[in-house]
Amino acid sequence: MADEKKQVLQETVEHMESMLSNNQKFEAKSSWDCVLLSRQSGRPGAKAFISMICDQFMELHGDRSYGDDPAMIGGIGTVEGRAITFIGNRKGANFRENVSCNYGMSNPEGYRKALRLAKQAEKFGRPVVCFIDTPGAYPGLGSEERGIGQAIAQNLKVFSTLKTPVLCFIIGEGGSGGALGIGIGDKLYMLENAVYSVITPEGFASILLRDPSKAKEAAEAMKMTSHHLKEFGVIHDIIEEKSPEETARLIKETIIRDLDNLCSKPPEHLVRYRLKKIRGIGEVSGGKEWWQPLLEVFAKTQSFR
């Protein structure tokens, strides 16, 4: 089974590399394709997009409590003369950076740094832009000892009532509470081949289907792609993926357009409609219920009792 998974992954990687070498766009044919694309090595991360979008950027460090987390990047940038606080998960661009940034899995100090910068932005009237790209928060012993659950919960509370515009972009993996920790805003966008879910397909398959090899089937049942989530009303819109520079340009245009609108609204209105949007997620009316695909997957596995 491991050899079969390795072969499928290798074929997908070769296909993507072939398309990219010919300057063609890779079209994801399934949810599993999107999962692989969202994890693709060399995919532009938060740091790359910030550098392409901002005229100037000054990175800020530390949570003023424990230390600095390299898996979370944050600072102040200017976009066409407007000062914006940028916050994002950082995976790293190569193996050395991947290890240094813990593959984008932040510790509590990362989320407390994000919280500090968000509060600072609110104090000085700066909008906040968040780039999400993480498989989840780091579940290690030290992370738990320093209160990772409390740090994420505090971010959920504060970001939901922040009296300044907040825009969120899922640019790769949007996994679990690690994504939610900087994913509460006035508008939520996804890149075309990004994914967003409460757990990875491998974790879903292991826990609910009792078979890790069924990750492909799990990805389809979870409805975790940008097109599914737009249909459900979880995200506002999908940003088409082209070259990194062109994708950054589309993100920049979205930021400028939305901030021109949101910055003109009273802070109380922003909070009111943000809370209304959050509370509206999960409402289902008519058509095929969201949980029916899950039951169909369960019915196909003999190991689920």
Side-chain angles (χ1 to χ4, degrees):
M1 192 63 67
D3 292 340
E4 181 182 347
K5 290 172 64 179
K6 185 177 180 181
Q7 182 180 356
V8 171
L9 179 59
Q10 182 64 29
E11 290 175 355
T12 305
V13 170
E14 290 175 354
H15 187 189
M16 287 190 293
E17 289 177 344
S18 173
M19 299 291 285
L20 291 171
S21 64
N22 294 322
N23 294 320
Q24 298 177 6
K25 181 183 174 183
F26 178 80
E27 297 286 351
K29 297 179 180 179
S30 67
S31 297
W32 184 245
D33 285 340
C34 284
V35 172
L36 296 179
L37 282 168
S38 71
R39 299 171 177 175
Q40 183 184 5
S41 178
R43 183 182 178 89
K47 185 176 180 180
F49 280 125
I50 289 172
S51 65
M52 287 186 281
I53 291 170
C54 293
D55 303 317
Q56 292 180 311
F57 179 71
M58 178 179 64
E59 185 176 354
L60 301 175
H61 299 273
D63 66 345
R64 302 298 186 267
S65 178
Y66 180 82
D68 185 51
D69 186 354
M72 187 76 73
I73 185 173
I76 304 171
T78 58
V79 179
E80 295 192 356
R82 174 184 275 141
I84 299 173
T85 292
F86 286 89
I87 301 169
N89 304 117
R90 177 163 53 188
K91 286 184 175 180
N94 52 53
F95 179 73
R96 184 183 294 276
E97 290 185 5
N98 290 156
V99 174
S100 174
C101 297
N102 203 26
Y103 291 88
M105 296 183 289
S106 287
N107 283 281
E109 49 270 24
Y111 291 99
R112 290 178 180 132
K113 174 168 69 173
L115 182 65
R116 177 177 74 85
L117 296 180
K119 286 183 174 180
Q120 182 193 76
E122 180 184 49
K123 178 179 179 180
F124 292 102
R126 288 192 301 268
V128 178
V129 173
C130 298
F131 291 117
I132 300 161
D133 185 14
T134 178
Y138 185 58
L141 179 60
S143 179
E144 296 291 347
E145 289 176 339
R146 297 194 297 278
I148 185 65
Q150 189 275 341
I152 293 175
Q154 184 70 8
N155 279 25
L156 295 177
K157 176 183 177 182
V158 173
F159 272 76
S160 63
T161 57
L162 209 62
K163 293 182 175 64
T164 192
V166 182
L167 301 179
C168 301
F169 296 85
I170 302 172
I171 58 175
E173 287 186 275
S176 192
L180 286 176
I182 58 170
I184 303 296
D186 299 289
K187 293 195 175 182
L188 176 63
Y189 295 93
M190 286 181 71
L191 294 192
E192 188 177 10
N193 295 314
V195 293
Y196 188 39
S197 68
V198 70
I199 193 173
T200 64
E202 294 88 346
F204 181 103
S206 297
I207 297 171
L208 294 179
L209 304 183
R210 313 288 178 85
D211 186 352
S213 67
K214 295 186 179 294
K216 283 186 179 182
E217 292 88 335
E220 296 296 335
M222 291 166 70
K223 306 298 182 185
M224 60 193 300
T225 69
S226 58
H227 297 283
H228 289 131
L229 294 169
K230 184 180 179 182
E231 180 184 347
F232 297 149
V234 176
I235 65 171
H236 284 83
D237 208 350
I238 300 169
I239 296 177
E240 187 178 6
E241 288 191 51
K242 299 181 180 180
S243 67
E245 293 78 14
E246 184 64 14
T247 303
R249 184 188 65 79
L250 294 174
I251 293 175
K252 182 177 180 178
E253 289 178 354
T254 303
I255 291 172
I256 293 171
R257 181 198 66 212
D258 284 350
L259 292 186
D260 284 343
N261 177 38
L262 294 173
C263 287
S264 65
K265 298 182 181 298
E268 295 76 15
H269 288 192
L270 291 176
V271 173
R272 185 186 310 155
Y273 287 105
R274 191 183 305 150
L275 291 174
K276 181 180 179 181
K277 177 182 74 71
I278 294 169
R279 289 166 180 158
I281 294 175
E283 293 182 359
V284 180
S285 59
K288 191 175 183 180
E289 297 292 353
W290 65 269
W291 40 262
Q292 288 183 351
L294 303 182
L295 294 183
E296 292 170 4
V297 174
F298 293 158
K300 293 178 182 178
T301 175
Q302 299 298 318
S303 61
F304 184 79
R305 299 283 191 277

